[in-house]
Amino acid sequence: MQLAYEVLDQILLTLWHVLPWLAGLSLAFAVLSRWSPCNEGRPWWEKRGLVTDLCYWVLAPIFTRYLRIWVTVALTMVLFGITDGQEIANFYENGHGPLSQLPLWAQGILYLVLTDFALYWIHRGFHRGFLWKYHAVHHASEDLEWTSAARFHPVNLALGTGLVDIVMLLCGVSPWIFVVIGPFNTISSCLVHANLNWTFGPLRYVVSSPVFHRWHHVADVRDKNFSGTFALWDVMFGTFHMPAHELPRNYGIADKQMPEGLVPQLLYPIMQREPVEQAA
Ligand SMILES: [Zn+2]
Ligand SMILES: [Zn+2]
């Protein structure tokens, strides 16, 4: 019973935080996608998989919040020998060690560049072997939209954004940088999934754009455009793909057995014996 209340409490708390974001983003992308769509068709609220996407908008923040707290506390006990809850909170309040001595803006930039570099390689890893079946959940959207930005399996979250956040906190960056980085990540990840024909012109080789990331989701384009924020990593490591005068279309994965709905998708990768085949 206690657990049920806790779960309900977390869902309500998350909705309280997420709903204003969803309202703002809904309106912004409704207008922008009508003005400069990448692919003609129905508006985002009529796309297939919308309900599944919205469920991930509630699940992902709850999972990430618990993961970040539990793993950080456990590792703090092991690595720094601090066991008292209040002392752990004090230890992280403004960061610790040399990194926390830098100005907050410098910590923010360092965080953005280092984690984006790490996430580029983690993302490449998720397109290989047994990890692909967890990441395939993110690629399953056939009507790719800004709402797909939250669609990640917990295993993908834990070994992706969750992992890099925890490592950076353990290294000493101030949690205050998340006040700016958190909203930035939400907006930029929704933007790159949005149905927009934006390429960012000459900046396309440096910053990820909607067209850049939508190419990553094209069913028959393989192992291209892994970068999160900085497309520069793909240019540097030979995985950049943005054909001139052409827009991406036909999204999804080769595995048509992938179910729709939150719970079936959470279970599907775990039930697979063999890695499901990557979209080819
Ligand atoms: Zn991917
Ligand atoms: Zn994506």
Side-chain angles (χ1 to χ4, degrees):
M1 203 60 186
Q2 183 73 31
L3 182 69
Y5 276 125
E6 173 128 353
V7 169
L8 187 65
D9 192 46
Q10 284 298 320
I11 291 175
L12 291 176
L13 179 73
T14 305
L15 283 174
W16 178 255
H17 286 294
V18 166
L19 283 178
W21 274 101
L22 285 178
L25 293 162
S26 301
L27 195 65
F29 289 118
V31 174
L32 294 173
S33 298
R34 200 177 159 80
W35 175 41
S36 52
C38 177
N39 308 109
E40 295 295 337
R42 290 168 290 186
W44 69 259
W45 58 88
E46 290 179 14
K47 295 283 174 77
R48 290 168 291 174
L50 177 64
V51 176
T52 306
D53 281 351
L54 292 176
C55 290
Y56 281 102
W57 274 86
V58 179
L59 174 82
I62 296 175
F63 177 79
T64 309
R65 194 182 310 141
Y66 273 107
L67 179 89
R68 211 189 277 169
I69 293 171
W70 284 346
V71 177
T72 306
V73 167
L75 288 175
T76 307
M77 289 176 171
V78 174
L79 296 173
F80 301 106
I82 308 171
T83 50
D84 179 73
Q86 189 56 49
E87 274 185 46
I88 291 176
N90 294 343
F91 183 64
Y92 285 107
E93 195 178 357
N94 292 303
H96 58 89
L99 269 181
S100 66
Q101 304 303 311
L102 295 170
L104 275 180
W105 62 264
Q107 291 185 50
I109 290 173
L110 208 59
Y111 169 92
L112 206 59
V113 174
L114 291 179
T115 59
D116 205 54
F117 179 74
L119 286 170
Y120 169 85
W121 288 103
I122 291 171
H123 191 178
R124 284 185 70 154
F126 266 99
H127 277 250
R128 292 270 171 273
F130 82 99
L131 285 174
W132 165 249
K133 59 187 184 175
Y134 295 97
H135 186 57
V137 167
H138 179 66
H139 279 265
S141 305
E142 292 184 346
D143 288 346
L144 190 63
E145 265 296 344
W146 66 273
T147 51
S148 312
R151 187 191 276 242
F152 281 104
H153 194 281
V155 170
N156 202 157
L157 290 173
L159 297 176
T161 48
L163 176 71
V164 297
D165 281 357
I166 291 164
V167 169
M168 290 306 282
L169 285 171
L170 290 171
C171 285
V173 294
S174 168
W176 290 102
I177 62 166
F178 291 108
V179 174
V180 176
I181 296 280
F184 172 80
N185 279 340
T186 304
I187 293 169
S188 65
S189 59
C190 288
L191 179 69
V192 297
H193 288 95
N195 181 22
L196 295 171
N197 62 6
W198 300 1
T199 61
F200 296 163
L203 281 179
R204 71 181 69 195
Y205 304 107
V206 183
V207 184
S208 305
S209 63
V211 169
F212 168 86
H213 190 68
R214 290 174 78 84
W215 274 114
H216 178 68
H217 279 265
V218 170
D220 58 2
V221 170
R222 200 163 170 166
D223 292 343
K224 300 291 180 194
N225 300 4
F226 293 102
S227 298
T229 301
F230 301 114
L232 189 62
W233 309 128
D234 283 289
V235 175
M236 284 169 67
F237 300 113
T239 47
F240 184 85
H241 179 78
M242 273 177 91
H245 313 301
E246 199 182 336
L247 287 172
R249 60 185 71 246
N250 300 330
Y251 311 100
I253 52 176
D255 176 18
K256 298 303 170 201
Q257 304 300 314
M258 172 69 78
E260 191 53 51
L262 177 73
V263 176
Q265 283 195 353
L266 294 183
L267 296 174
Y268 185 70
I270 300 163
M271 312 294 266
Q272 299 288 311
R273 292 227 183 128
E274 300 296 326
V276 290
E277 195 193 332
Q278 195 190 330

